[in-house]
Amino acid sequence: MKKFALAAALMAAVGFSGTVQAADLTLRISLQLPMKSHLGQNLLMFKNEVEEESNGDIEVQIYDSAQLYKDKEVPAAVGSGAIEMGVASLTRYVGDVPAVDIFYQPFLLDTEEKVRKAVSPDSPVRAPLDKAIAETGSTVLWWQAYGGSIMLSNGGPIKGPDGLKGQKVRVFSKTQGDFISAAGGAPTLISGSEQYIAYQRGTVDVGMTGMSGVKSRQLWEVMDTVTTTNDADIEFIVVVNTDFWNGLTDAQRDIISTAAINAENDVRDRMSTIEAEAFAEAKANGMTIYTPTADEMAAWREAAKPVYEAFLANTGDLGKQVFEAAQKF
């Protein structure tokens, strides 16, 4: 009788057909960071809301830690429809939309107030970029804050541009490469998922990343010093294949769009706390946190001037448009 009762309970749980009801729609999302990262947790928030609001009719599958695609492969994978959704560093769209590197112009958006104005969905900086990205076959669902760019090193901080001379530096955007070159260093473009091993093997001497990435990737195991240059605002975007998106029902798009807005607002509002916690954990794990002096910051800014000129020369009308808008913040 006990076995019969257990069988009956199981049938009630899955339905009399004996099979679990499959979702009507599946969204696969590629993420290069681990799930424990704040971007991973942000996707989990999105997943939970979508699945709950759709009563399980929409399933969200997250493939973290670059299981399916590396960061640089995401734009093509999503744009072609090889996968429904993906998360990529904004700068990964620089090949198709050079103006996205407005966020990596050194020290241009150097306060939280300026960043918030720039990333607002209807801002004169973000709105034209979202529209241009849509022409690649991907629709931007939401932006994920990642914080300010810092430098990593071993044996001491980077005290101004002179500290980069003769140093190989990991960068993750073309503009950062221009900045490092102008400062006297040798830039090397390395994906986020590959930077740990690059530091470990000595492929590069210095790294550029966000503080939250130091925590999620435990980079204190391979680097011992953080220099808080805050030279750029790091943004990730969550994109969906446009043809796939247009093929959804209005109800499905409403559920997904609402969850995306909620996820964007949540990560943006928590970014300061996320960074503070990352700094605290880095210190607890033996890292030295170095704040540049006023003179060092002046030298950094002076070194960055040629980068603005190159950006304006290489990004056309759209680059000029968003640069002028950003300067007014």
Side-chain angles (χ1 to χ4, degrees), residues 224-244:
D224 62 26
T225 306
V226 173
T227 300
T228 58
T229 47
N230 193 32
D231 50 275
D233 171 53
I234 307 172
E235 298 289 336
F236 281 72
I237 55 174
V238 184
V239 291
V240 61
N241 175 267
T242 299
D243 289 340
F244 174 83

Side-chain angles (χ1 to χ4, degrees), residues 58 244-258:
I58 304 176
F244 174 83
W245 179 246
N246 291 338
L248 301 181
T249 66
D250 290 342
Q252 289 170 332
R253 281 196 297 268
D254 285 345
I255 289 172
I256 294 169
S257 295
T258 299

Side-chain angles (χ1 to χ4, degrees), residues 39-70:
L39 297 193
Q41 292 303 298
N42 187 240
L43 289 185
L44 186 60
M45 174 186 173
F46 169 79
K47 168 184 167 70
N48 290 340
E49 181 173 338
V50 167
E51 293 181 346
E52 181 178 347
E53 292 300 318
S54 69
N55 295 315
D57 290 339
I58 304 176
E59 179 185 6
V60 179
Q61 299 175 355
I62 303 169
Y63 294 87
D64 66 311
S65 302
Q67 293 179 57
L68 298 183
Y69 301 101
K70 294 179 181 178

